[in-house]
Amino acid sequence: MNTKFKMILDDIDAVTARDPATRSRTEALLCSAGLQAIIIYRGSHWLWKKNWKLTARVISQLARFLTGVEIHPGATIGRGFFIDHGMGVVIGETTEIGDNCTLYHGVTLGGSTVFSHKGKNTSKRHPTLGNNVIVGAGAQVLGPITIGDNVKIGANAVLLKNVAAGETVVGVPAHEVIRGKKKEPSGFMAYGVCPTDVDPVDCLLQNLQKEIDDLSKRLKEPKDGTK
């Protein structure tokens, strides 16, 4: 089987495996904007590597208009890639994505462009994602950082630094969660968040609120000898 065709089949199967609302390959092809964007990207990326860069960019802009997903043809994306819902996803030129990764709507894999006396930076400026990474809705992963295998990035997180393999990060700026006492569920985890994970910032805020409540209660208590 042709390698390119097999890669597209893997993308289709990723939709049917991870999206409970999609029941067949035909439904995935006809109804998944994320899949349609990926298929068009595969073609534009081939043109980009053949040095037909302007044509590749025009095709990618057409895909953006049709699907709401913007994938630069210079990005490198592995097998089994899944974009759920799709709208508002942006993937920059020097982004590298491993196999079996999942992105939800509103995700940005963005870059850092630094200008100097020599002109703008055209080197590596977008993130690198390992295999089996899940990026929740609205998350922003910015700059030439490295995200390890099996990392989960919570919805609306803003990630600006490297993440080791197997970690889960949430918040603004994104930080690692504390593992809950219960065992994490096995298999695919939608939106990259586990119910047993504990946000340390949330714990800190709860402790601070408890201290404030205790102090308020003590201040309201009558002093000894008062009427």
Side-chain angles (χ1 to χ4, degrees):
M1 184 182 292
N2 182 276
T3 303
K4 293 292 182 185
F5 183 68
K6 179 64 169 64
M7 183 171 281
I8 291 173
L9 275 182
D10 289 342
D11 293 331
I12 296 171
D13 289 339
V15 179
T16 58
R18 299 176 217 163
D19 182 5
T22 301
R23 299 162 185 81
S24 67
R25 286 178 171 177
T26 301
E27 185 176 350
L29 281 167
L30 295 176
C31 302
S32 174
L35 175 62
Q36 293 160 2
I38 295 164
I39 291 172
I40 297 172
Y41 154 78
R42 299 289 185 201
S44 67
H45 181 64
W46 182 85
L47 291 170
W48 182 269
K49 291 196 297 183
K50 296 294 183 181
N51 211 32
W52 288 44
K53 296 189 186 287
L54 179 58
T55 304
R57 286 299 306 275
V58 170
I59 292 173
S60 70
Q61 287 301 106
L62 177 62
R64 178 177 180 268
F65 174 77
L66 293 173
T67 66
V69 177
E70 182 175 341
I71 307 177
H72 194 287
T76 302
I77 300 176
R79 297 175 178 276
F81 186 47
F82 175 41
I83 300 176
D84 199 2
H85 303 296
M87 185 62 67
V89 168
V90 177
I91 300 174
E93 177 185 4
T94 61
T95 302
E96 298 173 59
I97 300 175
D99 295 336
N100 303 313
C101 290
T102 300
L103 271 58
Y104 286 87
H105 52 284
V107 166
T108 298
L109 304 182
S112 55
T113 302
V114 179
F115 288 82
S116 67
H117 66 282
K118 296 182 180 179
K120 63 182 179 181
N121 174 22
T122 57
S123 60
K124 175 69 171 171
R125 59 193 186 280
H126 297 91
T128 296
L129 276 60
N131 300 322
N132 308 307
V133 173
I134 301 173
V135 186
Q140 313 294 301
V141 185
L142 307 175
I145 59 178
T146 300
I147 312 303
D149 294 346
N150 304 303
V151 165
K152 302 175 185 67
I153 302 171
N156 295 316
V158 177
L159 185 55
L160 303 171
K161 62 181 182 179
N162 297 342
V163 181
E167 295 292 344
T168 297
V169 294
V170 297
V172 182
H175 47 271
E176 297 173 4
V177 300
I178 300 171
R179 295 294 184 191
K181 294 181 180 179
K182 294 182 180 178
K183 186 178 180 181
E184 188 172 286
S186 59
F188 178 72
M189 188 182 302
Y191 294 97
V193 178
C194 176
T196 62
D197 291 336
V198 179
D199 185 345
V201 175
D202 184 50
C203 290
L204 177 62
L205 291 174
Q206 288 183 30
N207 290 335
L208 286 172
Q209 184 62 53
K210 185 177 182 302
E211 288 186 21
I212 291 171
D213 292 342
D214 290 343
L215 286 171
S216 297
K217 184 178 179 181
R218 288 172 62 185
L219 287 171
K220 291 176 182 179
E221 291 176 352
K223 295 181 179 178
D224 293 340
T226 60
K227 294 182 180 179

